[in-house]
Amino acid sequence: MNTTHVARKCLKQDFNNFFFLHFLGVPLPLIGMVAYGLVATLGLQLAGKNFPFGIGETNGRLILLGTTTSMAAASAYFLYILSTRFAGASCSYCLMSVLLSFSLFFITLKDFGPQQILKEVGLLLCVASLVVTALTTSYRSLQPISTSLAEIDLPYATTEITTESSPFTLALARHLHSIGAKMYGAFWCSHCVEQKQMFGREAAKVLDYVECFPDGYRKGVKMAEACANVAIEGFPTWVINGQVLSGEKELPELATLSGFEFEDSSKSN
C-alpha cells in the first residue's frame, strides 16, 4: 500500500471532519448560513429604515456588528487551523468566507464613530472570545486519529530518500545532531518524507529521527512512548533546544531556530 496515499487520504478525512463540526448538535455550516442570512436581512432592513420587532436603528446596528464580529472571529479561527493543522490542504471556500466575513465586519464597523467603537470594543472582544472558545471546544471533541486511518492495518515500511544532500544540508544535519535536536514522525506521513527529502539521502541518515509507529499502525495501536512524552499534535514535530515545533519546516528556519551558521569553504577558498 502506498503510505503517501494513505497519509493524504487521512489528511482529507480529518479536514472534512473539521469543517463539519457541530455546536450544541447543530452543524457549523448551517450556523454559518443562518448568520449570512441574518446579516443580509438586517442590512436590508436598516437600509430601508424598516426595523423588525421594534428593535430600533441603534440596537439593529449593534446586532449586525455583533453578528459580523462572530463571523470574522470564526473565519479567522478556521484559517488558523487550516494553516497550522492542515498544511498543504486547499480550501477556496474558506478563503472566500474569510474575505466576505471580514469585509462585512469592516463595512458594518465604519457606520460607527470612533467614540462609539471604543465604547463597544469590550463587547466585541467578548463576542469574539466566546466564538473562539466554542469552536475550540468543538474541535477538541473530534477524534485525534481519523476514521480512515483507524480502519487501516498498515505494516511498517520505509520510504527511500531520493534527493542528494548538499554541503549545507549535511552541515545542518550534523549541527542538529550535535545539539540533540530530534525529528518525530510517522512512516505514513507524507510531510515527514518531504522534510527528509529537503535534507537529502546522506543528511537524512544523520538526523536524530524518532519513528512514532515502529510496529506499524492498526486499530488500537499506541504511539511510541518517546513520542507520547513530547505531546505531539502533528507530524513531523521538531524538538530543538527544548522548543516543540509542529509541522514541516524550511531549512533556513531550522538553521535559525538551532543557531546554525553555515560557512561555505568553497567560497572562502
Side-chain angles (χ1 to χ4, degrees), residues 126-206:
C126 182
V127 169
S129 299
L130 286 174
V131 169
V132 172
T133 300
L135 291 175
T136 302
T137 302
S138 298
Y139 179 52
R140 287 177 178 173
S141 68
L142 287 177
Q143 293 181 349
I145 301 176
S146 69
T147 302
S148 59
L149 186 58
E151 295 173 350
I152 291 175
D153 186 350
L154 191 64
Y156 176 76
T158 58
T159 302
E160 181 183 359
I161 304 304
T162 58
T163 56
E164 296 291 333
S165 298
S166 66
F168 171 75
T169 58
L170 274 170
L172 176 58
R174 291 177 182 133
H175 171 73
L176 291 169
H177 174 76
S178 69
I179 65 172
K182 295 184 185 299
M183 173 185 166
Y184 297 81
F187 67 93
W188 43 261
C189 166
S190 61
H191 289 290
C192 300
V193 175
E194 290 169 4
Q195 184 76 89
K196 291 180 182 179
Q197 292 280 22
M198 289 184 187
F199 280 91
R201 186 186 308 108
E202 299 82 4
K205 295 177 181 178
V206 179

Side-chain angles (χ1 to χ4, degrees), residues 49-117:
K49 302 296 182 180
N50 182 20
F51 310 117
F53 309 113
I55 59 175
E57 182 176 2
T58 301
N59 290 333
R61 294 193 182 281
L62 282 176
I63 294 173
L64 186 60
L65 181 60
T67 305
T68 55
T69 300
S70 301
M71 294 165 61
S75 295
Y77 180 83
F78 286 139
L79 188 62
Y80 167 76
I81 295 296
L82 181 65
S83 60
T84 58
R85 297 292 185 268
F86 301 99
S90 61
C91 179
S92 56
Y93 163 79
C94 309
L95 298 178
M96 289 178 59
S97 179
V98 169
L99 178 62
L100 181 57
S101 59
F102 272 90
S103 297
L104 291 171
F105 170 72
F106 286 115
I107 290 173
T108 305
L109 194 63
K110 74 178 182 62
D111 291 333
F112 291 79
Q115 292 184 346
Q116 192 172 5
I117 292 175

